[in-house]
Amino acid sequence: MDILLINPRIDTRQRPPLGLAYIAAILKQNKISVAIFDPLPSNDICNKLSNIIIEHNPKIIGITLTTPQVALAYQLSRTIKEINSKIIIVVGGPHVTATAEEIIKNKDLDIAVIGEGDYTLLDLFNAILNKKNLKEIKGICYKNNDKIIRTSPRPLIENLDDLPLPARELLDNKWYSKRGSLIRGLWLRTATVITSRGCPGACIYCSSHITFGRKIRRRSIANVLKEIRYLIETNGIEGIFFCDDTMTMNKEWMLSFCKELKKLSKRVVWACQSRVNTIDEELLREMKDSGCVQIEFGCESGSQKVLNALKKNITVEQIINAFNLTKKAGIRT
């Protein structure tokens, strides 16, 4: 095996690591052998990882992590180096992007990926294989003796349609899509899909913009429908949870998307995340007609003072109005 990708999972939610699946798809496209390890929390994760390393001997191991996953990621990194100190450990994800210079000080970590990492691991693999200078790789941070080096930023991917569909075939799709609670209260085979990256919001607690930028980049409707058809035909999916930070930011795109959803040979129900100042009666009606059953609004507080401090750029009145309109349309909030 060339590369092993790890999600140091600390919960049991049925959400697959789509970020790793996108990276894996690019690696597979370039004839690089890759696997994904996304274990449920247990006391024997290190033993399971040890067995995989001993059996497959990966050259590089990539670990994605958010802040709550740091301790487990460090533990797994120690295990990897104890088995084979020559394995190169690459870390990425929101926490790494925010704290690259700090996290790379850990003695077991070799390279930190900053920002969108879809193509970074491919570039790293080729550079390491051909013994090239890592300074040529954009969007990374690494140690050179006692010096920490941060390379120039990697540009954001402008056309998301250029990305291959996530390599879900490397995941246990029976478990991820088993009838459960991704869409609350519905006993459906459900999958997660991302249609856009980036958020123009200025919320002070959110890490989205440091990874994906403040400009929204959208996949084409045809590209998203291709993925949904694949999920229906391959995994028998009945529901979709869209993981976009704010799916409803572009009303015209949403209206067109809803019209196309209604043309699918097999209808699916769906849910998404939204902001209270991005919906109206027309949009909600179209969303409902195309199968939307649930919208998760990021409200954070019922206090205008707190909302202002968080830089949410919404009002309490907008929150109340959005919930009233959504419930009127027959969509759960």
Side-chain angles (χ1 to χ4, degrees), residues 35 87 156 177 264 305 310:
I87 293 176
L156 295 172
S177 63
L264 288 174
K305 180 179 179 181
L310 295 176

Side-chain angles (χ1 to χ4, degrees), residues 38-216:
D38 181 29
L40 291 174
S42 70
N43 293 326
D44 65 344
I45 290 177
C46 288
N47 290 333
K48 290 179 179 177
L49 177 58
S50 298
N51 292 335
I52 293 172
I53 293 172
I54 292 168
E55 181 179 356
H56 297 286
N57 192 30
K59 300 177 180 69
I60 297 174
I61 292 182
I63 306 176
T64 184
L65 59 137
T66 57
T67 303
Q69 295 174 297
V70 171
L72 180 55
Y74 284 169
Q75 183 183 353
L76 296 177
S77 299
R78 283 196 302 272
T79 298
I80 294 164
K81 290 296 187 180
E82 286 169 2
I83 296 170
N84 184 351
S85 62
K86 293 182 179 179
I87 293 176
I88 296 172
I89 300 178
V90 181
V91 288
H95 182 88
V96 178
T97 294
T99 66
E101 283 90 352
E102 183 63 30
I103 200 168
I104 201 63
K105 291 177 183 176
N106 182 287
K107 64 181 180 61
D108 296 317
L109 306 181
D110 298 302
I111 302 169
V113 173
I114 302 166
E116 285 184 323
D118 301 82
Y119 291 103
T120 309
L121 209 52
L122 172 63
D123 290 348
L124 278 172
F125 179 82
N126 289 329
I128 292 167
L129 194 68
N130 297 307
K131 295 181 170 53
K132 290 184 178 179
N133 194 323
L134 292 183
K135 280 187 177 181
E136 299 175 14
I137 308 298
K138 293 182 178 180
I140 64 170
C141 187
Y142 64 97
K143 295 186 287 278
N144 186 359
N145 296 320
D146 294 329
K147 187 178 180 182
I148 294 176
I149 297 173
R150 185 178 181 127
T151 65
S152 58
R154 178 172 290 266
L156 295 172
I157 300 166
E158 284 299 324
N159 185 4
L160 298 182
D161 283 7
D162 288 341
L163 293 169
L165 296 184
R168 297 176 193 264
E169 66 276 10
L170 299 180
L171 300 168
D172 180 6
N173 290 295
K174 286 185 178 179
W175 183 79
Y176 293 110
S177 63
K178 71 179 182 180
R179 299 181 190 280
S181 59
L182 274 181
I183 300 177
R184 292 192 301 274
L186 296 181
W187 199 247
L188 300 171
R189 292 180 61 80
T190 309
T192 53
V193 172
I194 300 171
T195 75
S196 67
R197 294 182 182 183
C199 179
C203 310
I204 63 173
Y205 53 83
C206 184
S207 68
S208 176
H209 71 277
I210 65 170
T211 302
F212 298 122
R214 296 197 186 277
K215 174 188 173 184
I216 291 184

Side-chain angles (χ1 to χ4, degrees), residues 251-264:
K251 180 180 176 180
E252 295 309 312
W253 188 96
M254 279 301 301
L255 289 173
S256 298
F257 180 61
C258 290
K259 287 182 173 62
E260 293 303 317
L261 271 181
K262 288 187 279 189
K263 297 177 184 178
L264 288 174

